[in-house]
CSV table of all heavy atoms in Angstrom, one decimal:
chain,number,residue,atom,x,y,z
A,184,ALA,N,14.4,-2.4,-7.4
A,184,ALA,CA,13.8,-3.7,-7.7
A,184,ALA,C,12.7,-3.6,-8.8
A,184,ALA,O,12.5,-4.5,-9.6
A,184,ALA,CB,13.3,-4.4,-6.5
A,185,ALA,N,12.1,-2.4,-8.8
A,185,ALA,CA,10.9,-2.2,-9.7
A,185,ALA,C,11.2,-1.0,-10.6
A,185,ALA,O,10.2,-0.3,-11.0
A,185,ALA,CB,9.6,-2.1,-8.9
A,186,SER,N,12.4,-0.6,-10.8
A,186,SER,CA,12.7,0.6,-11.5
A,186,SER,C,12.8,0.3,-13.0
A,186,SER,O,12.8,-0.8,-13.5
A,186,SER,CB,14.0,1.2,-11.1
A,186,SER,OG,15.1,0.4,-11.4
A,187,TYR,N,12.9,1.4,-13.8
A,187,TYR,CA,13.0,1.3,-15.3
A,187,TYR,C,14.3,0.8,-15.8
A,187,TYR,O,14.5,0.6,-16.9
A,187,TYR,CB,12.6,2.6,-15.9
A,187,TYR,CG,13.5,3.8,-15.5
A,187,TYR,CD1,14.7,4.0,-16.1
A,187,TYR,CD2,13.1,4.6,-14.5
A,187,TYR,CE1,15.5,5.0,-15.8
A,187,TYR,CE2,13.9,5.7,-14.1
A,187,TYR,CZ,15.1,5.9,-14.8
A,187,TYR,OH,15.9,7.0,-14.4
A,188,SER,N,15.3,0.7,-14.8
A,188,SER,CA,16.6,0.2,-15.3
A,188,SER,C,16.6,-1.3,-15.5
A,188,SER,O,17.5,-1.8,-16.3
A,188,SER,CB,17.7,0.5,-14.2
A,188,SER,OG,17.8,1.9,-14.0
A,189,LEU,N,15.7,-2.0,-14.9
A,189,LEU,CA,15.6,-3.4,-15.1
A,189,LEU,C,14.2,-3.7,-15.8
A,189,LEU,O,13.2,-3.7,-15.2
A,189,LEU,CB,15.6,-4.2,-13.8
A,189,LEU,CG,16.9,-4.0,-12.9
A,189,LEU,CD1,16.8,-4.7,-11.6
A,189,LEU,CD2,18.1,-4.5,-13.7
A,190,ILE,N,14.3,-3.9,-17.1
A,190,ILE,CA,13.0,-4.1,-17.9
A,190,ILE,C,13.0,-5.5,-18.5
A,190,ILE,O,13.9,-6.0,-19.1
A,190,ILE,CB,13.0,-3.0,-19.1
A,190,ILE,CG1,13.1,-1.6,-18.5
A,190,ILE,CG2,11.8,-3.2,-19.9
A,190,ILE,CD1,13.1,-0.5,-19.5
A,191,GLU,N,11.8,-6.1,-18.2
A,191,GLU,CA,11.5,-7.4,-18.7
A,191,GLU,C,10.5,-7.2,-19.9
A,191,GLU,O,10.0,-6.1,-20.1
A,191,GLU,CB,10.9,-8.3,-17.7
A,191,GLU,CG,11.9,-8.5,-16.5
A,191,GLU,CD,11.2,-9.3,-15.4
A,191,GLU,OE1,9.9,-9.3,-15.4
A,191,GLU,OE2,11.9,-9.9,-14.5
A,192,ALA,N,10.3,-8.4,-20.6
A,192,ALA,CA,9.3,-8.3,-21.7
A,192,ALA,C,8.0,-7.9,-21.2
A,192,ALA,O,7.3,-7.1,-21.9
A,192,ALA,CB,9.3,-9.7,-22.4
A,193,LYS,N,7.5,-8.4,-20.0
A,193,LYS,CA,6.2,-8.1,-19.6
A,193,LYS,C,6.1,-6.6,-19.1
A,193,LYS,O,5.1,-6.0,-19.1
A,193,LYS,CB,5.8,-9.0,-18.4
A,193,LYS,CG,6.7,-8.9,-17.2
A,193,LYS,CD,6.2,-9.8,-16.1
A,193,LYS,CE,7.1,-9.7,-14.9
A,193,LYS,NZ,6.6,-10.6,-13.8
A,194,MET,N,7.3,-6.0,-18.7
A,194,MET,CA,7.3,-4.6,-18.4
A,194,MET,C,7.1,-3.7,-19.6
A,194,MET,O,6.5,-2.7,-19.5
A,194,MET,CB,8.6,-4.2,-17.6
A,194,MET,CG,8.8,-5.0,-16.3
A,194,MET,SD,10.3,-4.6,-15.5
A,194,MET,CE,10.1,-2.9,-15.1
A,195,ILE,N,7.6,-4.2,-20.8
A,195,ILE,CA,7.4,-3.5,-22.0
A,195,ILE,C,5.9,-3.5,-22.3
A,195,ILE,O,5.3,-2.5,-22.8
A,195,ILE,CB,8.3,-4.1,-23.1
A,195,ILE,CG1,9.8,-3.9,-22.8
A,195,ILE,CG2,7.9,-3.4,-24.5
A,195,ILE,CD1,10.7,-4.6,-23.8
A,196,ASP,N,5.3,-4.6,-22.1
A,196,ASP,CA,3.9,-4.7,-22.3
A,196,ASP,C,3.1,-3.8,-21.4
A,196,ASP,O,2.1,-3.2,-21.8
A,196,ASP,CB,3.4,-6.2,-22.1
A,196,ASP,CG,4.0,-7.1,-23.1
A,196,ASP,OD1,4.3,-6.6,-24.2
A,196,ASP,OD2,4.0,-8.3,-22.8
A,197,THR,N,3.6,-3.6,-20.2
A,197,THR,CA,3.0,-2.7,-19.2
A,197,THR,C,3.1,-1.3,-19.7
A,197,THR,O,2.1,-0.5,-19.7
A,197,THR,CB,3.7,-2.8,-17.9
A,197,THR,OG1,3.5,-4.1,-17.4
A,197,THR,CG2,3.1,-1.8,-16.9
A,198,ILE,N,4.2,-0.9,-20.3
A,198,ILE,CA,4.4,0.5,-20.8
A,198,ILE,C,3.5,0.8,-22.0
A,198,ILE,O,2.9,1.8,-22.1
A,198,ILE,CB,5.9,0.7,-21.2
A,198,ILE,CG1,6.8,0.6,-20.0
A,198,ILE,CG2,6.0,2.1,-21.8
A,198,ILE,CD1,8.3,0.7,-20.3
A,199,LEU,N,3.3,-0.2,-22.8
A,199,LEU,CA,2.5,-0.1,-24.0
A,199,LEU,C,1.0,-0.4,-23.7
A,199,LEU,O,0.2,-0.2,-24.6
A,199,LEU,CB,3.0,-1.0,-25.1
A,199,LEU,CG,4.4,-0.8,-25.6
A,199,LEU,CD1,4.8,-1.8,-26.6
A,199,LEU,CD2,4.6,0.6,-26.1
A,200,SER,N,0.6,-0.8,-22.5
A,200,SER,CA,-0.8,-1.1,-22.2
A,200,SER,C,-1.6,0.2,-22.1
A,200,SER,O,-1.1,1.3,-22.0
A,200,SER,CB,-0.9,-1.9,-21.0
A,200,SER,OG,-0.5,-1.2,-19.8
A,201,ASP,N,-2.9,0.0,-22.0
A,201,ASP,CA,-3.9,1.1,-21.9
A,201,ASP,C,-4.1,1.5,-20.4
A,201,ASP,O,-4.8,2.4,-20.1
A,201,ASP,CB,-5.2,0.7,-22.5
A,201,ASP,CG,-5.1,0.5,-24.0
A,201,ASP,OD1,-4.2,1.1,-24.6
A,201,ASP,OD2,-5.9,-0.3,-24.5
A,202,LYS,N,-3.4,0.8,-19.5
A,202,LYS,CA,-3.6,1.0,-18.1
A,202,LYS,C,-2.7,2.1,-17.6
A,202,LYS,O,-1.5,1.9,-17.6
A,202,LYS,CB,-3.4,-0.2,-17.2
A,202,LYS,CG,-4.4,-1.3,-17.5
A,202,LYS,CD,-4.2,-2.6,-16.7
A,202,LYS,CE,-5.2,-3.7,-17.0
A,202,LYS,NZ,-4.9,-4.9,-16.2
A,203,ALA,N,-3.2,3.3,-17.3
A,203,ALA,CA,-2.4,4.5,-17.0
A,203,ALA,C,-1.6,4.2,-15.6
A,203,ALA,O,-0.5,4.7,-15.5
A,203,ALA,CB,-3.2,5.7,-16.9
A,204,GLU,N,-2.3,3.5,-14.7
A,204,GLU,CA,-1.7,3.3,-13.4
A,204,GLU,C,-0.4,2.5,-13.5
A,204,GLU,O,0.6,2.8,-12.8
A,204,GLU,CB,-2.6,2.6,-12.5
A,204,GLU,CG,-3.8,3.4,-12.0
A,204,GLU,CD,-3.4,4.6,-11.2
A,204,GLU,OE1,-2.4,4.5,-10.5
A,204,GLU,OE2,-4.1,5.6,-11.2
A,205,GLU,N,-0.3,1.5,-14.4
A,205,GLU,CA,0.9,0.7,-14.6
A,205,GLU,C,2.0,1.5,-15.2
A,205,GLU,O,3.2,1.3,-14.9
A,205,GLU,CB,0.5,-0.5,-15.4
A,205,GLU,CG,-0.5,-1.4,-14.8
A,205,GLU,CD,-0.7,-2.7,-15.6
A,205,GLU,OE1,-0.2,-2.7,-16.8
A,205,GLU,OE2,-1.5,-3.6,-15.2
A,206,ARG,N,1.7,2.5,-16.2
A,206,ARG,CA,2.7,3.3,-16.8
A,206,ARG,C,3.2,4.4,-15.8
A,206,ARG,O,4.3,4.8,-15.9
A,206,ARG,CB,2.2,3.9,-18.0
A,206,ARG,CG,1.8,3.0,-19.2
A,206,ARG,CD,1.7,3.7,-20.5
A,206,ARG,NE,0.7,4.8,-20.4
A,206,ARG,CZ,-0.5,4.6,-20.7
A,206,ARG,NH1,-1.0,3.4,-21.1
A,206,ARG,NH2,-1.4,5.6,-20.7
A,207,ARG,N,2.3,4.8,-14.9
A,207,ARG,CA,2.6,5.9,-14.1
A,207,ARG,C,3.8,5.6,-13.2
A,207,ARG,O,4.7,6.4,-12.9
A,207,ARG,CB,1.4,6.3,-13.2
A,207,ARG,CG,1.7,7.5,-12.3
A,207,ARG,CD,0.5,7.8,-11.5
A,207,ARG,NE,-0.6,8.2,-12.3
A,207,ARG,CZ,-1.9,8.4,-11.9
A,207,ARG,NH1,-2.1,8.3,-10.6
A,207,ARG,NH2,-2.8,8.8,-12.7
A,208,VAL,N,3.9,4.3,-12.7
A,208,VAL,CA,5.0,3.9,-11.8
A,208,VAL,C,6.4,4.2,-12.4
A,208,VAL,O,7.3,4.8,-11.8
A,208,VAL,CB,4.9,2.4,-11.4
A,208,VAL,CG1,6.0,2.0,-10.5
A,208,VAL,CG2,3.6,2.2,-10.7
A,209,MET,N,6.5,3.8,-13.7
A,209,MET,CA,7.8,4.0,-14.4
A,209,MET,C,8.1,5.5,-14.6
A,209,MET,O,9.2,6.0,-14.5
A,209,MET,CB,7.9,3.2,-15.7
A,209,MET,CG,8.0,1.7,-15.5
A,209,MET,SD,8.4,0.9,-17.0
A,209,MET,CE,8.6,-0.8,-16.4
A,210,PHE,N,7.0,6.2,-15.0
A,210,PHE,CA,7.2,7.6,-15.3
A,210,PHE,C,7.6,8.4,-14.0
A,210,PHE,O,8.4,9.3,-14.0
A,210,PHE,CB,6.0,8.2,-15.9
A,210,PHE,CG,5.7,7.7,-17.3
A,210,PHE,CD1,4.4,7.6,-17.8
A,210,PHE,CD2,6.7,7.2,-18.1
A,210,PHE,CE1,4.2,7.1,-19.1
A,210,PHE,CE2,6.5,6.7,-19.4
A,210,PHE,CZ,5.2,6.7,-19.9
A,211,GLU,N,7.0,8.0,-12.9
A,211,GLU,CA,7.3,8.7,-11.7
A,211,GLU,C,8.7,8.4,-11.2
A,211,GLU,O,9.4,9.3,-10.7
A,211,GLU,CB,6.3,8.3,-10.6
A,211,GLU,CG,4.9,8.8,-10.8
A,211,GLU,CD,3.9,8.3,-9.7
A,211,GLU,OE1,4.3,7.4,-9.0
A,211,GLU,OE2,2.8,8.8,-9.6
A,212,GLU,N,9.2,7.2,-11.5
A,212,GLU,CA,10.6,6.8,-11.1
A,212,GLU,C,11.5,7.6,-12.0
A,212,GLU,O,12.5,8.1,-11.5
A,212,GLU,CB,10.8,5.3,-11.3
A,212,GLU,CG,12.2,4.8,-11.1
A,212,GLU,CD,12.5,4.8,-9.6
A,212,GLU,OE1,11.6,4.8,-8.8
A,212,GLU,OE2,13.8,4.8,-9.3
A,213,ALA,N,11.2,7.7,-13.3
A,213,ALA,CA,12.1,8.5,-14.2
A,213,ALA,C,12.0,10.0,-13.9
A,213,ALA,O,13.1,10.7,-14.1
A,213,ALA,CB,11.6,8.2,-15.7
A,214,ALA,N,10.9,10.5,-13.4
A,214,ALA,CA,10.8,11.9,-13.1
A,214,ALA,C,11.4,12.2,-11.7
A,214,ALA,O,11.6,13.4,-11.4
A,214,ALA,CB,9.3,12.3,-13.1
A,215,GLY,N,11.7,11.2,-11.0
A,215,GLY,CA,12.4,11.4,-9.7
A,215,GLY,C,11.4,11.8,-8.6
A,215,GLY,O,11.8,12.5,-7.6
A,216,ILE,N,10.2,11.4,-8.6
A,216,ILE,CA,9.2,11.8,-7.6
A,216,ILE,C,8.8,10.6,-6.8
A,216,ILE,O,8.0,10.7,-5.8
A,216,ILE,CB,8.0,12.5,-8.2
A,216,ILE,CG1,7.2,11.5,-9.1
A,216,ILE,CG2,8.3,13.7,-8.9
A,216,ILE,CD1,5.9,12.0,-9.6
A,217,SER,N,9.2,9.4,-7.2
A,217,SER,CA,8.8,8.2,-6.4
A,217,SER,C,9.3,8.3,-5.0
A,217,SER,O,8.6,7.8,-4.1
A,217,SER,CB,9.3,6.9,-7.1
A,217,SER,OG,10.7,7.0,-7.2
A,218,LYS,N,10.5,8.9,-4.8
A,218,LYS,CA,11.0,9.0,-3.4
A,218,LYS,C,10.1,9.8,-2.6
A,218,LYS,O,9.8,9.4,-1.4
A,218,LYS,CB,12.4,9.6,-3.5
A,218,LYS,CG,13.0,9.9,-2.1
A,218,LYS,CD,14.4,10.5,-2.3
A,218,LYS,CE,15.0,10.8,-0.9
A,218,LYS,NZ,16.3,11.4,-1.0
A,219,TYR,N,9.6,10.9,-3.1
A,219,TYR,CA,8.7,11.8,-2.3
A,219,TYR,C,7.4,11.1,-2.1
A,219,TYR,O,6.7,11.3,-1.0
A,219,TYR,CB,8.6,13.1,-3.0
A,219,TYR,CG,9.9,13.8,-3.2
A,219,TYR,CD1,10.4,13.8,-4.5
A,219,TYR,CD2,10.6,14.3,-2.2
A,219,TYR,CE1,11.7,14.4,-4.8
A,219,TYR,CE2,11.9,14.9,-2.4
A,219,TYR,CZ,12.4,15.0,-3.7
A,219,TYR,OH,13.6,15.5,-3.9
A,220,LYS,N,6.9,10.3,-3.1
A,220,LYS,CA,5.6,9.6,-2.9
A,220,LYS,C,5.8,8.6,-1.8
A,220,LYS,O,4.9,8.4,-1.0
A,220,LYS,CB,5.2,9.0,-4.2
A,220,LYS,CG,4.7,9.9,-5.2
A,220,LYS,CD,4.0,9.2,-6.4
A,220,LYS,CE,2.7,8.6,-5.9
A,220,LYS,NZ,1.9,8.0,-7.0
A,221,GLN,N,7.0,7.9,-1.8
A,221,GLN,CA,7.2,6.9,-0.8
A,221,GLN,C,7.3,7.6,0.6
A,221,GLN,O,6.8,7.1,1.6
A,221,GLN,CB,8.5,6.1,-1.1
A,221,GLN,CG,8.8,5.0,-0.1
A,221,GLN,CD,7.8,3.9,-0.1
A,221,GLN,OE1,7.1,3.7,-1.1
A,221,GLN,NE2,7.6,3.2,1.0
A,222,GLN,N,8.0,8.7,0.7
A,222,GLN,CA,8.1,9.5,1.9
A,222,GLN,C,6.7,9.9,2.4
A,222,GLN,O,6.4,9.9,3.6
A,222,GLN,CB,9.0,10.7,1.8
A,222,GLN,CG,10.5,10.3,1.6
A,222,GLN,CD,11.3,11.5,1.4
A,222,GLN,OE1,10.8,12.7,1.2
A,222,GLN,NE2,12.6,11.3,1.4
A,223,ARG,N,5.9,10.3,1.4
A,223,ARG,CA,4.5,10.7,1.8
A,223,ARG,C,3.7,9.5,2.3
A,223,ARG,O,3.0,9.6,3.3
A,223,ARG,CB,3.8,11.3,0.5
A,223,ARG,CG,2.3,11.7,0.8
A,223,ARG,CD,1.7,12.3,-0.5
A,223,ARG,NE,0.4,12.7,-0.3
A,223,ARG,CZ,-0.7,11.8,-0.5
A,223,ARG,NH1,-0.4,10.6,-1.0
A,223,ARG,NH2,-1.9,12.2,-0.3
A,224,LYS,N,3.9,8.3,1.7
A,224,LYS,CA,3.2,7.1,2.2
A,224,LYS,C,3.7,6.8,3.6
A,224,LYS,O,2.9,6.5,4.5
A,224,LYS,CB,3.5,6.0,1.3
A,224,LYS,CG,2.7,6.0,-0.1
A,224,LYS,CD,3.1,4.8,-0.9
A,224,LYS,CE,2.4,4.9,-2.3
A,224,LYS,NZ,2.7,3.7,-3.1
A,225,GLU,N,5.0,6.9,3.8
A,225,GLU,CA,5.5,6.6,5.1
A,225,GLU,C,5.0,7.6,6.2
A,225,GLU,O,4.7,7.2,7.3
A,225,GLU,CB,7.1,6.6,5.1
A,225,GLU,CG,7.6,5.4,4.3
A,225,GLU,CD,9.1,5.4,4.3
A,225,GLU,OE1,9.7,6.3,4.8
A,225,GLU,OE2,9.7,4.5,3.7
A,226,THR,N,5.0,8.9,5.7
A,226,THR,CA,4.5,9.9,6.7
A,226,THR,C,3.1,9.7,7.0
A,226,THR,O,2.7,9.8,8.2
A,226,THR,CB,4.7,11.3,6.0
A,226,THR,OG1,6.1,11.5,5.7
A,226,THR,CG2,4.2,12.4,7.0
A,227,LEU,N,2.2,9.4,6.0
A,227,LEU,CA,0.8,9.1,6.3
A,227,LEU,C,0.7,7.8,7.2
A,227,LEU,O,-0.2,7.8,8.0
A,227,LEU,CB,0.1,8.8,4.9
A,227,LEU,CG,-0.1,10.1,4.1
A,227,LEU,CD1,-0.8,9.7,2.7
A,227,LEU,CD2,-0.9,11.2,4.8
A,228,ARG,N,1.6,6.8,6.9
A,228,ARG,CA,1.5,5.6,7.7
A,228,ARG,C,1.9,6.0,9.2
A,228,ARG,O,1.3,5.5,10.1
A,228,ARG,CB,2.4,4.6,7.2
A,228,ARG,CG,2.3,3.2,7.8
A,228,ARG,CD,3.3,2.2,7.2
A,228,ARG,NE,3.1,2.1,5.8
A,228,ARG,CZ,4.1,2.4,4.9
A,228,ARG,NH1,5.2,3.0,5.4
A,228,ARG,NH2,3.9,2.3,3.6
A,229,GLN,N,2.9,6.8,9.3
A,229,GLN,CA,3.3,7.2,10.7
A,229,GLN,C,2.2,8.0,11.3
A,229,GLN,O,2.0,7.8,12.6
A,229,GLN,CB,4.6,8.0,10.6
A,229,GLN,CG,5.8,7.2,10.2
A,229,GLN,CD,7.1,8.0,10.1
A,229,GLN,OE1,7.0,9.2,10.2
A,229,GLN,NE2,8.2,7.4,9.7
A,230,LEU,N,1.6,8.9,10.6
A,230,LEU,CA,0.4,9.6,11.1
A,230,LEU,C,-0.7,8.7,11.6
A,230,LEU,O,-1.3,8.9,12.6
A,230,LEU,CB,-0.1,10.7,10.1
A,230,LEU,CG,0.8,11.9,9.8
A,230,LEU,CD1,0.3,12.7,8.7
A,230,LEU,CD2,1.0,12.7,11.1
A,231,GLU,N,-0.9,7.7,10.7
A,231,GLU,CA,-2.0,6.7,11.1
A,231,GLU,C,-1.6,6.0,12.4
A,231,GLU,O,-2.4,5.8,13.3
A,231,GLU,CB,-2.2,5.8,10.0
A,231,GLU,CG,-3.3,4.7,10.2
A,231,GLU,CD,-3.5,3.8,9.0
A,231,GLU,OE1,-2.8,4.0,8.0
A,231,GLU,OE2,-4.3,2.9,9.2
């Protein structure tokens, strides 16, 4: 739903913006680490 395969005009603006956090989401998805970050969040949530 929020991957780089579905890009809108505002998502292009996000990639070109100065906000590193907004660009990081797409780069992490492309690098294949978003799954592990999500697993880490779920694990931390389960630990909590």
